[in-house]
């Protein structure tokens, strides 16, 4: 199908060949009920790989861990990559759904943890698998090479780079465009899009501060790393309130803190992790520098016997959508949905969260790949509409909440339609 053809016709083509939502709802529930932590996505990857293989895709597995790519060659034309993630979160689900996760796994730190798809990756996978089937069904309307990539270890922002380092772009052709989408807590079935910057910078730090162990009854004989770390974590909030201007979004967050084995023992060290996020490079550099300075100086003030260990475990640049491609995709969406577009298509919020999706667009030694990244809403419509009327939208469960529970059918449908329309749009550019 060529770009100059009316987008309205694409709707009839997509609707006529739309895959069974009941089938993909079942796949979604299965993935949701059996989540796996980063670097442990064996069952999830096998489920995805088997489905793609059954559709006739050429599947390459175990790239950068459990990452995989399904390729469908359909004649000459553009090469388009659609990306999903495989991994889940170390979090206990509290939705009460009949397909809620009861899974527990030992994480990389050696602790047994509950596991939940609390970010929407299960919805991403189900919608991409369905879109792969849909695009295969309508292959007479496009030509080119479709590549569906399923990335491991996204929650730690290491999976995309691992796939690249493992020769991803030696195993598959370099895409002409990269497409990605993410489930968010807007009204189920909506699609949010924005040109230019949409997501921010991230630097994630692992920190160990050292003390001197002793009995809790003789604190003067030791150096307490728990007190030291607590002072550091409290003071880190001053980076945002006193070193970053109020007009610049920036967050400094400590999400984990581990120290000690018993109340009667002052331990020898304390571990914690810090995320720094912002939308501006200067702000990010300022904040990271300030965080490291505070950690080092507080350790000196506390008479720590050793310098702290500060390790950057992940660093991610912002997501900047290609301006032209994004505007064309938005126009295609509005034409596709016609009279429904006013309620269906919304402005994507500028967000200080991050996604290592962007690293796939910057393969070392190769040309930068243009990309479009958008959101689709998953919050149950009844809940969203009530909260909107009552002014309680901020109380709705969001990504990484143990209560995160997408409304399946409208969310899946929006995700499938967005994938398919974007692919058809850019396959037409030849």
């Amino acid at each position: 199908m060529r770009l100059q053809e009316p987008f309205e016709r694409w709707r009839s083509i997509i609707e006529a060949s739309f895959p069974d939502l009941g089938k993909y709802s079942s796949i979604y529930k299965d993935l949701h009920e059996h989540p796996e932590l980063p670097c442990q996505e064996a069952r999830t990857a096998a489920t995805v790989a088997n489905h793609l293989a059954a559709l006739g895709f050429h599947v390459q597995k175990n790239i950068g861990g459990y990452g995989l790519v399904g390729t469908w060659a359909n004649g000459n034309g553009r090469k388009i990559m659609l990306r999903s993630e495989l991994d889940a979160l170390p979090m206990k689900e509290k939705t009460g759904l009949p397909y809620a996760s009861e899974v527990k796994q030992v994480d990389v730190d050696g602790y047994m943890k509950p596991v939940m798809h609390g970010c929407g990756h299960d919805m991403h996978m189900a919608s991409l698998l369905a879109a792969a089937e849909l695009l295969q069904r309508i292959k007479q309307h496009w030509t080119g090479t479709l590549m569906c990539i399923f990335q491991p270890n996204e929650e730690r922002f290491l999976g995309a780079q691992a796939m690249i380092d493992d020769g991803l772009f030696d195993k598959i052709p370099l895409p002409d465009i990269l497409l990605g989408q993410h489930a968010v807590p807007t009204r189920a079935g909506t699609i949010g899009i924005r040109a230019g910057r949409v997501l921010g910078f991230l630097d994630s730090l692992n920190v160990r501060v050292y003390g001197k162990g002793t009995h809790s009854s003789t604190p003067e004989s030791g150096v307490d790393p728990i007190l030291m770390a607590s002072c550091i974590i409290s003071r880190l909030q001053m980076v945002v309130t006193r070193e970053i201007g109020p007009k610049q979004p920036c967050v400094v967050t400590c999400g984990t803190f581990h120290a000690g084995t018993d109340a009667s023992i002052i331990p020898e060290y304390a571990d914690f992790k810090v995320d720094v996020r912002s939308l501006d490079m200067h702000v990010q550099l300022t904040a990271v520098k300030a965080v490291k300075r505070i950690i080092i100086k507080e350790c000196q003030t506390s008479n720590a016997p050793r310098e702290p260990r500060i390790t950057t475990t992940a660093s991610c640049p912002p997501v900047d959508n290609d301006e032209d491609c994004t505007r064309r995709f938005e126009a295609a969406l509005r034409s596709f949905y016609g009279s429904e577009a006013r309620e269906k298509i919304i402005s994507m919020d500028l967000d200080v969260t991050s996604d290592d999706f962007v690293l796939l667009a910057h393969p070392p030694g190769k040309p930068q790949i243009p990309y479009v990244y958008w959101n689709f809403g998953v919050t149950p419509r009844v809940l969203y509409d009530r909260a909107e009327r009552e002014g309680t939208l901020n109380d709705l469960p969001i990504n990484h909440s143990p209560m995160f529970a997408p409304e399946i059918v409208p969310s899946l449908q929006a995700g499938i339609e967005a994938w398919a329309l974007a692919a058809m749009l850019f396959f037409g550019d030849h």
Side-chain angles (χ1 to χ4, degrees):
M1 174 163 295
R2 298 296 183 263
L3 182 60
Q4 61 266 26
E5 294 184 79
F7 294 124
E8 292 87 342
R9 180 170 171 250
W10 295 18
R11 183 163 184 167
S12 62
I13 291 170
I14 287 174
E15 287 178 347
S17 299
F18 209 79
D20 178 11
L21 282 173
K23 170 184 173 182
Y24 285 98
S25 294
S26 296
I27 291 173
Y28 165 78
K29 290 177 181 178
D30 176 73
L31 293 168
H32 185 89
E33 193 172 358
H34 300 93
E36 293 174 301
L37 291 173
C39 302
Q40 301 185 49
E41 311 98 330
R43 182 191 186 276
T44 306
T47 299
V48 170
N50 291 340
H51 188 88
L52 289 172
L55 290 175
F57 279 69
H58 172 61
V59 181
Q60 298 176 78
K61 299 182 286 186
N62 300 319
I63 307 172
Y66 289 107
L68 62 102
V69 180
T71 303
W72 177 268
N74 187 35
N76 296 324
R78 302 196 86 204
K79 299 173 286 293
I80 296 179
M81 176 181 283
L82 284 60
R83 175 268 202 170
S84 177
E85 314 92 317
L86 296 166
D87 56 336
L89 292 161
M91 182 170 64
K92 181 172 179 57
E93 181 165 357
K94 298 181 180 179
T95 62
L97 293 166
Y99 50 89
S101 169
E102 297 292 338
V103 172
K104 293 182 179 180
Q105 288 182 314
V106 177
D107 208 347
V108 291
D109 54 12
Y111 292 94
M112 179 68 74
K113 297 177 182 178
V115 189
M116 176 193 177
H117 268 301
C119 195
H121 295 179
D122 45 357
M123 184 63 69
H124 302 174
M125 287 184 277
S127 63
L128 182 48
L129 291 174
E133 179 179 342
L134 172 56
L135 288 164
Q136 185 191 61
R137 287 184 176 190
I138 59 174
K139 59 184 182 293
Q140 70 272 27
H141 297 289
W142 61 271
T143 59
T145 300
L146 174 66
M147 295 172 283
C148 299
I149 179 172
F150 291 81
Q151 176 199 317
N153 202 9
E154 188 277 336
E155 293 295 354
R156 295 196 181 104
F157 298 92
L158 298 173
Q161 191 62 53
M163 294 190 78
I164 294 168
D165 293 343
D166 199 18
L168 172 65
F169 292 114
D170 296 323
K171 302 175 192 294
I172 62 171
L174 193 70
D176 293 301
I177 190 165
L178 176 62
L179 303 174
Q181 64 177 356
H182 206 292
V184 295
T186 51
R187 191 176 192 270
T190 56
I191 298 171
I193 190 162
R194 183 189 192 100
R197 181 151 300 174
V198 292
L199 301 182
F201 293 87
L202 164 72
D203 285 281
S204 189
L205 310 176
N206 278 8
V207 183
R208 172 168 288 185
V209 295
Y210 296 94
K212 180 182 177 183
T214 186
H215 195 282
S216 63
S217 66
T218 57
E220 74 280 3
S221 298
V223 176
D224 189 344
I226 295 178
L227 180 59
M228 188 189 314
S230 298
C231 291
I232 290 169
I233 293 166
S234 296
R235 188 174 178 83
L236 288 182
Q237 297 310 308
M238 297 181 187
V239 172
V240 174
T241 61
R242 290 296 178 267
E243 300 195 40
I244 305 297
K247 295 180 181 180
Q248 294 282 7
C250 180
V251 293
V252 177
T253 304
C254 174
T256 69
F257 188 124
H258 296 285
T261 57
D262 190 86
S264 65
I265 304 169
I266 291 178
E268 295 191 343
Y269 60 85
D271 295 326
F272 58 94
K273 299 181 181 181
V274 178
D275 274 358
V276 181
R277 301 173 184 269
S278 72
L279 293 170
D280 178 85
M281 181 180 291
H282 174 71
V283 169
Q284 188 73 9
L285 293 173
T286 299
V288 171
K289 183 178 178 180
V291 165
K292 292 180 178 179
R293 184 196 73 233
I294 288 169
I295 294 169
I296 292 168
K297 296 297 185 181
E298 189 66 48
C299 288
Q300 293 173 355
T301 300
S302 300
N303 198 28
R306 294 173 56 183
E307 289 284 312
R309 186 184 71 193
I310 306 172
T311 305
T312 299
T313 58
S315 187
C316 192
V319 175
D320 292 321
N321 274 334
D322 183 272
E323 297 272 354
D324 178 64
C325 291
T326 304
R327 290 195 174 97
R328 291 173 56 219
F329 179 44
E330 181 176 0
L333 284 168
R334 293 193 179 281
S335 180
F336 180 81
Y337 287 113
S339 60
E340 303 172 58
R342 178 170 295 183
E343 294 183 356
K344 190 84 173 178
I345 311 304
I346 62 177
S347 177
M348 181 177 176
D349 287 337
L350 183 59
D351 198 338
V352 293
T353 193
S354 306
D355 196 320
D356 67 348
F357 162 88
V358 66
L359 299 180
L360 295 169
H362 299 276
K366 300 181 185 295
Q368 180 176 332
I369 303 167
Y371 58 85
V372 182
Y373 182 98
W374 63 91
N375 288 336
F376 66 110
V378 298
T379 299
R381 292 164 294 181
V382 171
L383 293 181
Y384 188 91
D385 292 345
R386 181 192 306 144
E388 190 172 41
R389 288 193 304 271
E390 297 175 356
T392 58
L393 287 174
N394 287 339
D395 295 335
L396 292 172
I398 64 173
N399 304 68
H400 292 221
S401 162
M403 297 296 293
F404 188 70
E407 185 179 8
I408 299 175
V409 170
S411 305
L412 262 181
Q413 180 158 348
I416 298 164
E417 288 171 346
W419 282 130
L421 183 60
M424 291 178 72
L425 170 66
F426 295 112
F427 274 131
D429 289 355
H430 66 88

